[in-house]
Amino acid sequence: MPRVHDVPLCRQLIAPAEWDRHGGWALGDRIEWSNRACGLASLRMILLAYGREAPTITELLKLAVKHEVLTPRGAVHAGIASLATDLGVPSTAEPVPVEDLTRRLDDAPLIVSVTEQFPDDGRVGGHLVILRGYEDGPDPTIHFRDPSAWGQTHHHIRLSRLSPSYTGRAITFAPLIHNGES
């Protein structure tokens, strides 16, 4: 059975104390920024999974603003990949067809663009989550980490349910080494 990568769960909702401690107030409204922080929370989870220093969401937000990673619609995938690489985890923003997701998950987790809560009503993208592994089968079960409130209690989904909301865009990472083995 393929490995499910150990990726800690982080929330995109920025705590008031963190916001204040790291000067987030200079950026504006904490809740407004929290609603757009799924990519930065996902980046933080990746940094932790790879054993790297993981700045707070507020600190990542300040970096993202400085490097123009955020747009009114959310994070630019190439910008998140660049931040990840700068913070010690080599990564690339690239298309990954849905049929290649499980193969790619053998080596490393992925950040992918989906619709929050994976609806099958035709909406695509707009929310970033981490796919961290799978259980093989005719309709593989995909293990994920979602920084939204909904994602705090949901951790796996069938590939057939993920597919309709997946944009085909991902942020891929160097192989994740576990205790000396890849």
Side-chain angles (χ1 to χ4, degrees):
M1 177 176 159
R3 172 184 303 126
V4 175
H5 302 287
D6 185 22
V7 176
L9 182 60
C10 296
R11 292 194 68 182
Q12 71 187 62
L13 178 62
I14 303 167
E18 173 192 321
W19 188 248
D20 292 341
R21 185 173 42 254
H22 297 286
W25 45 265
L27 297 172
D29 185 69
R30 176 183 63 85
I31 297 298
E32 183 180 320
W33 281 109
S34 290
N35 289 336
R36 296 173 42 208
C38 57
L40 301 174
S42 294
L43 172 58
R44 186 167 198 279
M45 289 185 264
I46 290 292
L47 294 170
L48 291 168
Y50 280 79
R52 301 299 190 271
E53 184 176 330
T56 66
I57 303 298
T58 304
E59 292 169 314
L60 288 171
L61 175 60
K62 289 165 69 177
L63 277 173
V65 168
K66 178 181 176 184
H67 295 285
E68 299 179 346
V69 170
L70 297 171
T71 70
R73 292 184 40 180
V76 175
H77 295 184
I80 290 176
S82 179
L83 285 177
T85 299
D86 290 349
L87 293 167
V89 181
S91 62
T92 305
E94 61 182 309
V96 175
V98 71
E99 57 273 7
D100 290 348
L101 288 175
T102 55
R103 181 183 59 77
R104 297 298 286 270
L105 286 169
D106 286 336
D107 294 327
L110 305 167
I111 295 177
V112 298
S113 179
V114 297
T115 305
E116 193 170 349
Q117 299 183 25
F118 306 100
D120 58 3
D121 61 6
R123 289 180 288 160
V124 177
H127 184 60
L128 297 179
V129 301
I130 295 175
L131 303 186
R132 63 189 198 97
Y134 67 99
E135 294 171 32
D136 212 358
D139 187 8
T141 298
I142 305 295
H143 294 259
F144 66 90
R145 291 284 191 233
D146 179 345
S148 73
W150 179 85
Q152 303 305 295
T153 58
H154 296 83
H155 307 284
H156 51 80
I157 189 168
R158 294 286 182 192
L159 183 60
S160 61
R161 180 166 170 206
L162 180 145
S163 295
S165 74
Y166 173 55
T167 64
R169 297 182 333 203
I171 301 168
T172 59
F173 300 93
L176 183 56
I177 309 284
H178 298 277
N179 300 325
E181 49 181 77
S182 60

